[in-house]
Amino acid sequence: MLIEQPQLRPEVSIRWLTIACFEIRVGDFRIVIDPCIGESPRAPFGPEVIEGADIVLLSHTHWDHITDLAYVMEKFHCPVLCGELSAPALIEMLNANPHDVYPVTPNLELDFGGARVRALFARHTNQHCTHADLTDPAHQRPWVNTPQRLACGNFGDLEYRDYLITTPGGLKIMFWGSNATPEQLGIIRELKPDIAIITNIGTMHIEHLGSREGILQAKLEIFRGVPKNGVGVFNGDEPLLWNVRADGGHKKYYFGIENHACDVFATDIQELEDGMRFVVSGFGHRFELFVPVLGRHTVYNALAAVTAALLLKIPPETIQAQISGFQNTGMRQKIYERDGFTIIEDCYNAGPESTEAALDILAGFRARAKGRCIAVLGDMLELGNRSAAEHYRIGRIAAAKVDMLYTYGTNSERMVSGAITGGMKQKFVEHFDTHEDLAHMLKMRARPGDVILFKGSRGMRMEKALSLFLKEEES
């Protein structure tokens, strides 16, 4: 979960802790973004891993971005920057000194000595919600149990802040966690990235962008800031991306598996017990690569990195060494043994494409597992009018790949219908309304040797069901 970036310049380094929490060091000056380490009940560490904080930047005030804010403020006596709507509720909720909470408006720039911070207007993916919508109990999150938390949650939907950090040495670091705005695109033009990578065009956030074509256009916006001599690195197996190869003024390089017209492609793919092995060909090179993560999607992700690395003239032997040492982080496809079970913990987020990939990985255990393959799936959120069809489709896929299916959430009831019509016996499919009921039934029915996948959108908190199943959290 801890990722230490190589130093960007002698005075700067970035450390990703978990979820949306980063620690940026500029010499002796430390910036913490969205202190939320404790959101995962199974995180192997707590907020004590934060080594220092001179300021805290909050993108928004949803509880899964501020769980450890009080701890950080008390330990390091540091000011907090957040949106002006959220500030009063945040002060009341934390009983904080108002002088320690800076309500920042868009384009406000503050100089803290160790770094300059400019707040940017941004949009949360729930931008379609109105204030009236968010006071409706149907929209309230499970952690909303006080008026102050309700206010923070509501304002977290209604406002969002991104930040541009400028170091004394002139290095600019843009923290961008939201949908693009014209202001952000202008800053990208200032930053002038040399390479822009698009790994796929899925259906995540389709509720807000209307279609996969809309998602494509949103992702292509980054090229409005790429200089003319900059390049794109695209997935050539995605028709939407392949079809724009002649569009625009930027050179594009492609990676793929099926499309051997790509500049870089993979062959001889093997799924081993501990990862993926394949041969990379491109730019005059041919070499074997091992990635210690399961799944065909892993090959695509590695190819994107390899293509960029080769464009940067990084030697193949360096690429091999770095990628072979890769470790998955957070709640992303962590596979481990516990109490006689094989657990696939993939709770960070979920969309149709990633859920299908996770089911493929689970199905891969069938040939070698001593027990059954069980999928525990939560809702896939932000799918708009495609939600019912996609949940139903995932259910049908699960029927062909797993032995048992447990679901949680309103939308995932359609998975049950899909699984049954796909041929899974009804006694092996069940839907639950609470994490507690799901975990209780799973404890009763799971047997040592079973392989169990836990996956769902971030808002479904499937890690809670996992913790209850493993008896790490009281029901």
Side-chain angles (χ1 to χ4, degrees), residues 85-374:
L85 293 176
S86 308
L90 194 66
I91 291 168
E92 186 175 357
M93 184 175 72
L94 300 178
N95 194 26
N97 186 329
H99 297 292
D100 293 334
V101 179
Y102 291 27
V104 291
T105 54
N107 289 318
L108 177 67
E109 187 166 22
L110 300 172
D111 192 338
F112 291 92
R116 294 199 319 274
V117 177
R118 177 180 167 191
L120 308 173
F121 170 76
R123 299 182 302 221
H124 194 275
T125 52
N126 284 332
Q127 60 184 298
H128 64 291
C129 292
T130 66
H131 206 188
D133 289 335
L134 292 162
T135 56
D136 186 327
H139 289 84
Q140 293 178 17
R141 293 162 181 76
W143 47 263
V144 175
N145 53 22
T146 68
Q148 294 77 27
R149 284 192 179 185
L150 173 61
C152 281
N154 288 349
F155 293 136
D157 280 323
L158 292 168
E159 69 175 352
Y160 200 107
R161 292 289 177 266
D162 288 338
Y163 297 94
L164 180 65
I165 301 164
T166 305
T167 73
L171 178 68
K172 294 181 183 295
I173 304 168
M174 185 172 178
F175 176 72
W176 181 1
S178 64
N179 296 339
T181 66
E183 181 184 17
Q184 291 163 321
L185 293 172
I187 292 171
I188 291 173
R189 293 189 190 98
E190 295 176 19
L191 298 179
K192 300 178 181 178
D194 298 305
I195 299 175
I197 300 175
I198 301 180
T199 55
N200 62 28
I201 304 296
T203 51
M204 288 287 286
H205 310 309
I206 199 168
E207 180 178 8
H208 311 297
L209 295 169
S211 65
R212 292 182 69 242
E213 289 75 14
I215 294 172
L216 169 69
Q217 292 307 313
K219 291 192 174 187
L220 289 174
E221 285 179 341
I222 193 170
F223 283 91
R224 292 164 63 180
V226 176
K228 290 183 179 179
N229 62 346
V231 301
V233 172
F234 290 0
N235 183 339
D237 288 348
E238 168 52 65
L240 287 174
L241 290 170
W242 183 253
N243 290 340
V244 300
R245 60 191 181 279
D247 295 353
H250 293 94
K251 173 68 176 175
K252 301 176 186 67
Y253 295 93
Y254 284 86
F255 61 89
I257 298 173
E258 308 296 339
N259 183 358
H260 285 198
C262 289
D263 301 281
V264 177
F265 57 88
T267 57
D268 304 316
I269 298 172
Q270 305 174 62
E271 182 163 330
L272 309 175
E273 290 192 7
D274 56 347
M276 307 298 292
R277 189 178 302 279
F278 52 96
V279 174
V280 176
S281 300
F283 301 129
H285 299 283
R286 181 178 170 85
F287 55 94
E288 189 176 82
L289 197 63
F290 173 74
V291 187
V293 182
L294 294 173
R296 189 177 178 88
H297 63 287
T298 295
V299 179
Y300 282 111
N301 293 337
L303 286 174
V306 168
T307 304
L310 290 175
L311 287 169
L312 294 170
K313 308 300 182 185
I314 296 175
E317 55 270 23
T318 302
I319 296 171
Q320 290 171 314
Q322 293 297 319
I323 290 183
S324 66
F326 173 79
Q327 289 185 329
N328 245 333
T329 57
M331 296 176 281
R332 295 172 170 89
Q333 200 183 311
K334 291 173 62 179
I335 302 175
Y336 53 90
E337 303 289 330
R338 183 72 177 272
D339 299 337
F341 305 104
T342 298
I343 303 295
I344 304 175
E345 181 182 355
D346 200 0
C347 303
Y348 183 73
N349 216 339
E353 294 80 15
S354 66
T355 302
E356 187 173 350
L359 289 171
D360 283 338
I361 292 169
L362 179 58
F365 280 85
R366 270 183 153 175
R368 61 181 186 270
K370 296 178 182 178
R372 301 158 300 175
C373 291
I374 303 172

